[in-house]
Every structure is written in structure tokens, then in C-alpha cells.
Amino acid sequence: MPQKTEQESSKALDSSFESLKELQLLYLFSSTLLSTMQLNRLLHLILSSLVYEDNALFCRSLLFLYNKKTNALQGMLAVCRTNADGLHLVSKEPDNPLSGHWELDELEMKKQWDSEFCAKVRNIRVDLNDDCVLIDELIKERRLCHFNTSELPANSGCDFLVDLGINAFAVVPLLTRKNLIGLIIVDNPFKNQPFTSKQLQLLQLFANQSGMAIENTRLYKNLEEAHEELQTTRERLIHGAHLAAIGEMAASISHELKTPLITIGGFAARLGKMIPEGDRQRHYLDTIINESHRLEQLLGDILAFSRKPTICYQCCDLKAILEECIDDYEATLIGHKIAATTDFKNSDWTVLGDSNQLKQICINLLVNAQEAMPGGGELHLALNEIEEGGCRKIAVTIADTGGGITEDLMDRIFTPFFTTKRHGTGLGLAIVNRIVQNHGGTLTVRNLENGAEFSIVLPKLSSVSCGR
Ligand SMILES: Nc1ncnc2c1ncn2[C@@H]1O[C@H](COP(=O)(O)OP(=O)(O)OP(=O)(O)O)[C@@H](O)[C@H]1O
Ligand SMILES: [Mg+2]
């Protein structure tokens, strides 16, 4: 067998060494992709590894992601060699070349994101329908290409590359099995050397792995979101079941208590008639009568809350309902030094609903507002038409100057039987919430500067459908 010359052996050794370095690079790249499930970090890592000084590949890397709906490419991120030096190896066995992965700190990612070049790239949107013929072709062919902008035909639609100061560049699509995800563009503006075939091969291999990794992180994110949604639905169901159990128990107790209570109140009233006014015993009886009346009302509320709701649908003018409530409650408001103002524009405020129940909503909220302002204050009621999810809706807002609701109570005030008042049942807002939901609406609350504002949004009904 012929002996290899010293020169040949050294060449073979060099070539094996080069291959080993490439393998190591590919290994590091793929373990980096496997180590991160966060899309943003992944994109930074992909672009940084392409321009990292030690890897001796390219000087700048740009990423565009594809939007299928608009058939356009959107500039997402760009990294230059100068701001990729934060890429560092994380390894449990530093002596083993085939262990570990690259990492980037948050601060380094921010530095890349904030760079002027990256901001320029993020402002670019390439419409594939008519903007860039060249990129369109390349995507159809689904392969890596390299060009020189000065050699491109005038109508190639690649002006954005010239604007970025890109001359000789390579571009590679990011693909999953069937779909285009985006593309990566790399260039070497500071070196006047053509790309080597090794560099282009590595770029292609990087791109193949990156496409799949990006798709995986997106799927993972979807899975996480679905999991979170499932968790909240589960919690809501458990909460609902608890409330149903509380409601059922409260209803049966209320039912049992109501009859004897009516009897007590009735007999006390009869006795009261036999005792002359001003008598001390009459005062005791009046207390029994008043308290049993209050308890009867409370039990009535509990039963109303627990019963299956029935809505007697009719066309309701919300403005008329609000005005009626304010009239009914005017004396109480004046007595408590509360000035009420309204902002009801002349418009159509018709909703489909049960006018008695809608009135109850308004009264419960007025009572709460009044109770929140024991020393007087201001009450403001307004009606506004809004658009939500493509539908016309009516928003009723009731705002007071009673100091608002503390953050820790915000989540609890709609829970049945939650109250901060000595004689409250904690059913007022729960009843409001239930009625609003049964009417296909939403109830929200927020704090204003001096108080709370409750908003009810109900679907608007056009007067035509009401036969007016
Ligand atoms: N306008 C408001 N300003 C400040 N806090 C409010 C206001 N409305 C309701 N709250 C808070 O929400 C709690 C629950 O209100 P909700 O109407 O359900 O019950 P309640 O008023 O305590 O009792 P009930 O209405 O049965 O007499 C109240 O106890 C109070 O702490
Ligand atoms: Mg109340």
C-alpha cells in the first residue's frame, strides 16, 4: 500500500478537524433549538448563532416571518456580529465538546432588539403578491439562493435590500413539512469575499432545523394557552357547582323559615292592634314586626336568587326604566344629600328584556351607590351606544363618589352572600349579575377618581324589530 506523504496526512488531518468542528457546530445549534420553547428567545438564538464570531459564518442575519392571511413577509429581527457577542455556552461538562447549548441573557436580547438596524428591519413588510418577484420565486422553489443586489433586474422589487445596505446576500426559506414560516437573509458587508459552499451548506442545515423549531414553539404555545383555558374553565365549573350547592341549601332553609316567620309577624301585628300606641309593650311588638318583615324580605331575596330565572321578554326602553328608578328613589337620594345627574342623549335605547328585572338591576345599583355615600355625594347615570364584536350595544353606567372598592374586594363583590355591610345580605350584586347575564349582557366595575362605576352592556334592539 502506498504510504501517504507528510503533506497529504496533514491535509487529511486538517480536513477531519474541519469536519469535526462543523459537526460540533451543528450539534450545538440543534441542542440550542431543543433547549428553548420560547419563540422570542429562539429567534434571537437562531440569528445570533449565524453571526457569532467563533462560528465564522456571516456578519448580519435578518429574519422575516410569513403571514399567510396577507401573503406578506414581515421583518421581525436582525442581528449583527457586533451585538451577538453575548451568545455563550452553557454546559454541565465543559470538557466535552458535544455537550451544552448556547444561551443569551435578556439584556443581550434587548440590546439586539433596540439596535438601529433591527428597528429598520422591523419596519419592512414585503407583499408577496406584487412587491418582490425574486423572493416570491425563491419561496416557490423552496431552496437557498445567493445574489448580488447590483445584479438584480430593476423590477425585482428588492429595493428594501438596497435600502438596508445589502449587497451580496444569501436567502433561505424556513419551512415546515408543508408550510412556509418565513425566511432568513444573511450577508457579509464588511468582507469582500464570496460565500463558501460550506457556509451555504451550514446555512441550509440551520434553516431546516430552525423552521421545525419555530413551528414547535408555536405549537407548544398553543398547547399552553389551551391548557390555561381548560384550567380556568375547570375552576369556573367548580366555582359554579359550589354556588349551586350554596344556593340550593339557602333556598331550602329559606323556604322552611318563611312560613313560621310569616306566622310570627302576623300574630305580632294582631297583638299590636290590642295594645295602645305609646305603650312600652307596643314598642317591643313593633320591633318584632319590623324585624320579621326585614327577615321575610331577606328570605324572599334568597329564594329569588335560587329560583330558576324566567324572563318575560318585551321591548324595554332603558332610558324610561332609568328615569322611573330615579323618580322612585329621588326622596331617598335627597334625604342622603346625594345629587343625581344624568346623561341620556335623545336616541333609541331599546333592548329586549324583562322590564321588572331591568328595574331591579338599576335599583340594586342605586341602593349600593347611596349606601357607599353615607355623608352625601354625587351620582351620575349615563347611556351610551357602543359597538362590540360587530354588534350595536347599549352601555348603562352608574357612577358614585363613595370612595370606590379596594383591589382585594374587586373579585369578591359579585359572589353571593359577600357583604361588607352590617345588615347586608350580599345578594344585591349577585342578583344584578345574574339578570344581566340572562339578558345576554355583561356587568363590569372599575374605580374612578373618587368612587366606583358599574357598567352594564346589553345588546341593542333596533326599533324596527320591535314593531315601532
Ligand atoms: N357603589 C359601591 N361602592 C363601594 N362598594 C360597593 C358598591 N357597590 C357594592 N359595593 C361592595 O360590594 C359588596 C356587595 O354588594 P351587594 O350589593 O352584593 O351586597 P350588599 O350591598 O352588601 O348587601 P345587599 O345588597 O344584599 O343589601 C358590598 O357589601 C360593598 O362592599
Ligand atoms: Mg347591595
Side-chain angles (χ1 to χ4, degrees):
M1 221 167 97
Q3 287 282 305
K4 275 190 183 169
T5 64
E6 202 175 305
Q7 203 184 3
E8 277 171 342
S9 305
S10 137
K11 225 172 151 187
L13 205 67
D14 279 356
S15 146
S16 315
F17 185 67
E18 276 302 307
S19 304
L20 193 71
K21 261 180 75 178
E22 275 162 29
L23 269 176
Q24 192 182 341
L25 189 61
L26 271 174
Y27 173 83
L28 263 176
F29 188 70
S30 79
S31 53
T32 302
L33 297 187
L34 285 174
S35 72
T36 178
M37 277 295 157
Q38 205 200 339
L39 183 61
N40 183 39
R41 177 171 293 272
L42 183 76
L43 301 183
H44 279 272
L45 284 167
I46 292 171
L47 294 198
S48 302
S49 358
L50 284 169
V51 297
Y52 187 46
E53 178 119 46
D54 287 7
N55 299 348
L57 288 172
F58 310 101
C59 290
R60 299 193 297 189
S61 54
L62 295 67
L63 174 86
F64 291 78
L65 286 184
Y66 177 63
N67 184 330
K68 201 173 172 185
K69 261 193 221 151
T70 54
N71 195 29
L73 284 164
Q74 176 63 51
M76 293 301 292
L77 188 66
V79 179
C80 302
R81 184 166 285 185
T82 43
N83 56 26
D85 48 3
L87 195 74
H88 56 274
L89 197 66
V90 177
S91 172
K92 283 191 186 135
E93 304 165 57
D95 296 336
N96 180 356
L98 292 187
S99 83
H101 59 269
W102 283 311
E103 256 304 350
L104 260 179
D105 297 339
E106 289 287 333
L107 213 69
E108 297 293 338
M109 293 201 303
K110 188 171 171 346
K111 207 169 82 186
Q112 295 180 344
W113 179 261
D114 290 342
S115 78
E116 204 180 314
F117 186 58
C118 183
K120 257 191 197 174
V121 170
R122 286 202 308 271
N123 270 333
I124 296 170
R125 186 175 175 278
V126 186
D127 190 337
L128 294 184
N129 293 320
D130 41 40
D131 267 11
C132 195
V133 188
L134 176 93
I135 304 258
D136 200 17
E137 287 269 331
L138 170 136
I139 287 168
K140 276 182 197 136
E141 285 188 29
R142 303 193 154 216
R143 63 183 177 86
L144 181 147
C145 304
H146 55 102
F147 305 95
N148 202 315
T149 41
S150 55
E151 291 159 10
L152 292 173
N155 60 352
S156 66
C158 289
D159 300 349
F160 73 97
L161 293 172
V162 181
D163 293 344
L164 290 171
I166 290 176
N167 188 16
F169 68 99
V171 49
V172 60
L174 297 172
L175 302 162
T176 56
R177 231 171 313 148
K178 282 195 231 140
N179 302 318
L180 171 77
I181 293 181
L183 53 84
I184 290 179
I185 295 176
V186 290
D187 79 338
N188 282 335
F190 319 116
K191 289 186 192 166
N192 249 345
Q193 294 158 350
F195 299 118
T196 64
S197 59
K198 275 270 175 289
Q199 284 173 329
L200 296 176
Q201 267 172 20
L202 278 168
L203 176 63
Q204 180 69 71
L205 287 170
F206 272 36
N208 290 350
Q209 293 194 38
S210 302
M212 291 308 289
I214 293 173
E215 186 66 0
N216 282 347
T217 54
R218 282 177 172 172
L219 290 174
Y220 184 74
K221 193 164 169 258
N222 289 351
L223 205 68
E224 262 189 341
E225 279 169 5
H227 183 257
E228 248 170 56
E229 212 178 298
L230 211 67
Q231 193 73 17
T232 4
T233 316
R234 188 172 164 263
E235 276 162 20
R236 220 179 293 143
L237 274 173
I238 293 174
H239 185 63
H242 281 164
L243 289 186
I246 294 175
E248 222 168 271
M249 192 178 75
S252 61
I253 295 175
S254 309
H255 192 262
E256 291 305 305
L257 289 179
K258 212 166 175 190
T259 325
L261 205 61
I262 292 171
T263 318
I264 295 170
F267 280 119
R270 272 211 225 168
L271 276 176
K273 280 184 196 147
M274 296 173 195
I275 299 170
E277 256 183 66
D279 198 308
R280 197 172 169 72
Q281 284 162 342
R282 172 71 186 259
H283 169 70
Y284 295 153
L285 276 171
D286 281 346
T287 312
I288 295 174
I289 294 164
N290 289 341
E291 287 301 293
S292 50
H293 186 66
R294 200 172 67 79
L295 282 176
E296 256 179 66
Q297 253 180 351
L298 166 65
L299 295 181
D301 272 355
I302 295 176
L303 279 172
F305 182 73
S306 328
R307 235 177 261 131
K308 235 184 163 175
T310 44
I311 302 181
C312 193
Y313 281 109
Q314 60 203 108
C315 293
C316 303
D317 178 2
L318 279 179
K319 184 174 170 229
I321 290 179
L322 289 175
E323 281 170 348
E324 206 180 314
C325 291
I326 299 171
D327 276 354
D328 290 354
Y329 212 58
E330 197 177 15
T332 316
L333 292 177
I334 293 172
H336 285 88
K337 297 194 178 64
I338 294 170
T341 52
T342 57
D343 181 7
F344 302 156
K345 286 169 211 76
N346 243 346
S347 180
D348 178 15
W349 303 114
T350 318
V351 296
L352 192 64
D354 188 313
S355 63
N356 282 332
Q357 293 185 16
L358 294 176
K359 206 173 158 190
Q360 170 148 33
I361 292 179
C362 176
I363 290 288
N364 285 11
L365 293 179
L366 285 185
V367 172
N368 277 350
Q370 176 254 303
E371 287 172 348
M373 301 184 281
E378 285 162 30
L379 183 71
H380 184 68
L381 289 91
L383 278 170
N384 281 296
E385 191 169 332
I386 57 168
E387 179 146 346
E388 229 181 50
C391 302
R392 304 303 303 164
K393 300 201 172 169
I394 299 177
V396 183
T397 50
I398 299 185
D400 60 57
T401 54
I405 299 158
T406 54
E407 276 308 311
D408 55 324
L409 296 190
M410 273 290 185
D411 287 344
R412 301 162 68 194
I413 57 170
F414 299 110
T415 309
F417 306 109
F418 173 79
T419 182
T420 53
K421 298 171 195 168
R422 197 157 164 252
H423 290 295
T425 62
L427 278 176
L429 287 179
I431 289 174
V432 172
N433 202 17
R434 157 112 26 124
I435 297 176
V436 172
Q437 281 178 4
N438 289 341
H439 280 74
T442 50
L443 168 69
T444 51
V445 60
R446 63 177 181 144
N447 278 326
L448 301 178
E449 207 180 326
N450 304 316
E453 181 191 70
F454 285 84
S455 310
I456 295 151
V457 174
L458 294 167
K460 179 179 167 148
L461 188 77
S462 71
S463 43
V464 182
S465 357
C466 247
R468 286 197 201 151

